[in-house]
Amino acid sequence: MDWRDQGALLSVRKHGETSAIIEVFTAEHGRHAGVVRGGVSRKIAPILQPGAQLDVAWRARLEEHIGSFTVEPVKSRAAVLSDRTALAGLNAICALLVFALPEREPHPVLYERTQAMLDLLSTNDAWPLAYLKWELALLEELGFGLDLSECAVTGTREDLAYVSPKSGRAVSAEGAGEWADRLLPLPAELLGIGTGDPAGVLQGLATTGHFLVTRLAHSLHDKPLPEARARLIDRLKKEAP
Amino acid sequence: MDAPREIEELIELMAKLPGLGPRSARRAVLYLIRKRGLVLAPLADAMQVVAERARECLTCGNVGTSEICEICASEKRANGEICVVEEVADLWAMERAGVFAGRYHVLGGTLSALDSIGPDELGIPRLVNRVEAEGVTEVILALNATVDGQTTAHYIAEELETRCKVTSLAQGVPIGGELDYLDDGTITAALKARKSL
């Protein structure tokens, strides 16, 4: 069994004295693990940094084996190392993908969005808004998408202000009535019409966070969300004016 | 034919050392036995002394033979600077260079969500206490230029920046390095940290 693909490196663990077990997120093979022989050597270790874009060739005797990778660097994405918040963003993306994606299941749409997201971290200061949309895409891709197209109560497409924590559907200010304080905020940033206002992004992340916990993590036997996401939100709060 | 049980036991123990497997351990043990007066006996004595006395410094985490290591005990090293490193090997590398005259703090790793290593496991609260108790004016973060290393560095900087000056080692072109062979991340870091000549 063998294949070749490109992917973003999600995690690295030392394996024995000289090798490493890596997880990459590829377009055609999804999240896939494998051993890199000599992966902790001076030559290869600098390449194996989370977020790096790699050209990987996987080979194993049987498909169910972990197999081994040979890797070549395509893009390092090391520019984020000096940016505290962008590095927190990179860690959150990699940790959430490891946390959420089933192994060896292709998610080409999410893959493309992840590529764009990782590239934005070092090139565009408005990346937190893109990150919020990426979390929405992650929920959608894994079957827990939110329906923000119309009000679940009145059917209107105007004045949408809340999200129902149970159904994940939008609710208008009028439809919310006296239940408003029990609903989650629906900032313009979550609807894709906001300007990326930090307060709106943080409100949006509180809402996606709710569904990451109650739907995604719940489906994974209530595993706690990766701490990297909480650290990113802390960073964004500190940077918000 | 196998070697006697005692020697086999020694081979098994040696094979657990980093860089040695069963074959190389066997060769090493044979060498030691051949040179037992010259190498084996002094080695055994030295190992016994280290086994009895080696301990981690209660203040910085360095390895020494007393509860407080020589660096922490020396008043000359109390110049208000603490250099934070990941491992004892990094501390030894800094000492070999002989350019740092302050004290150290060994974290023993980096923050890692995958391995459940958080700030408490790394003794970061202890570092914060040291900064206040020892009147530290500058903390130098000498952590590896990896994603985990820099994540840890940013975390520590955030904890300490209201208490003292926090700096980190420069990143860029190594001595003897050629631009043609550098990866784009290193070149980016080097360009960002350029200086006037």
Side-chain angles (χ1 to χ4, degrees), chain B residues 9-33:
Chain B
E9 211 172 290
L10 179 60
I11 292 169
E12 276 173 29
L13 287 170
M14 293 280 282
K16 288 179 183 170
L17 296 177
L20 291 186
R23 272 172 180 266
S24 40
R26 196 168 287 273
R27 281 176 51 207
V29 167
L30 271 176
Y31 173 82
L32 289 173
I33 291 170

Side-chain angles (χ1 to χ4, degrees), chain A residues 13 17 81 91 235 238, chain B residues 19 115 147 151 154 158 161:
Chain A
R13 278 169 186 276
E17 275 182 39
L81 287 185
N91 280 325
R235 278 299 322 147
K238 281 179 184 160
Chain B
D115 299 320
V147 168
T151 301
H154 287 311
E158 220 169 289
E161 60 199 2

Side-chain angles (χ1 to χ4, degrees), chain A residues 10-13 17 23 46 49-51 74-84 87 90-91 95 98 226-228 231 234-235 238, chain B residues 15-20 111-115 117-119 145-148 150-151 154-155 157-159 161 171 183-186 188 192:
Chain A
L10 300 181
S11 73
V12 187
R13 278 169 186 276
E17 275 182 39
E23 285 186 285
Q49 294 301 313
V74 177
K75 197 190 291 180
S76 90
R77 296 198 176 102
V80 301
L81 287 185
S82 56
D83 183 333
R84 202 178 281 186
L87 184 57
L90 184 136
N91 280 325
V98 170
E227 266 185 43
R231 283 201 201 112
D234 275 353
R235 278 299 322 147
K238 281 179 184 160
Chain B
K16 288 179 183 170
L17 296 177
L20 291 186
L111 294 174
S112 169
L114 283 179
D115 299 320
I117 300 176
T146 59
V147 168
D148 285 348
Q150 292 308 298
T151 301
H154 287 311
Y155 181 87
E158 220 169 289
E159 292 290 306
E161 60 199 2
Q171 290 165 4
D183 64 284
D184 50 356
T186 307
T188 308
K192 277 186 182 170

Side-chain angles (χ1 to χ4, degrees), chain B residues 2-190:
Chain B
D2 281 347
R5 192 179 54 82
E6 296 88 342
I7 294 176
E8 277 298 329
E9 211 172 290
L10 179 60
I11 292 169
E12 276 173 29
L13 287 170
M14 293 280 282
K16 288 179 183 170
L17 296 177
L20 291 186
R23 272 172 180 266
S24 40
R26 196 168 287 273
R27 281 176 51 207
V29 167
L30 271 176
Y31 173 82
L32 289 173
I33 291 170
R34 279 198 208 106
K35 305 262 180 184
R36 52 185 173 278
L38 206 61
V39 183
L40 182 58
L43 180 68
D45 290 345
M47 287 174 98
Q48 189 169 358
V49 170
V50 171
E52 282 167 7
R53 296 190 193 165
R55 65 196 64 202
E56 281 179 4
C57 172
L58 294 176
T59 308
C60 72
N62 185 16
V63 172
T65 52
S66 53
E67 288 196 337
I68 303 296
C69 72
E70 283 179 17
I71 296 172
C72 289
S74 166
E75 277 305 312
K76 282 183 186 169
R77 307 293 294 249
N79 64 357
E81 291 176 359
I82 286 184
C83 179
V84 179
V85 292
E86 276 181 34
E87 302 290 351
V88 174
D90 300 329
L91 186 159
W92 290 351
M94 293 286 292
E95 282 296 285
R96 277 200 305 275
V99 289
F100 179 65
R103 288 174 171 164
Y104 293 92
H105 192 87
V106 182
L107 295 175
T110 52
L111 294 174
S112 169
L114 283 179
D115 299 320
S116 303
I117 300 176
D120 291 341
E121 284 76 18
L122 295 181
I124 292 174
R126 192 160 49 93
L127 171 65
V128 175
N129 290 340
R130 274 189 77 186
V131 166
E132 288 183 346
E134 294 177 26
V136 172
T137 53
E138 181 175 357
V139 169
I140 302 164
L141 300 171
L143 303 178
N144 292 336
T146 59
V147 168
D148 285 348
Q150 292 308 298
T151 301
T152 310
H154 287 311
Y155 181 87
I156 295 172
E158 220 169 289
E159 292 290 306
L160 294 177
E161 60 199 2
T162 55
R163 296 176 167 92
C164 65
K165 182 177 170 189
V166 182
T167 56
S168 74
L169 293 188
Q171 290 165 4
V173 186
I175 303 293
E178 294 175 35
L179 285 182
D180 193 21
Y181 290 97
L182 293 184
D183 64 284
D184 50 356
T186 307
I187 291 178
T188 308

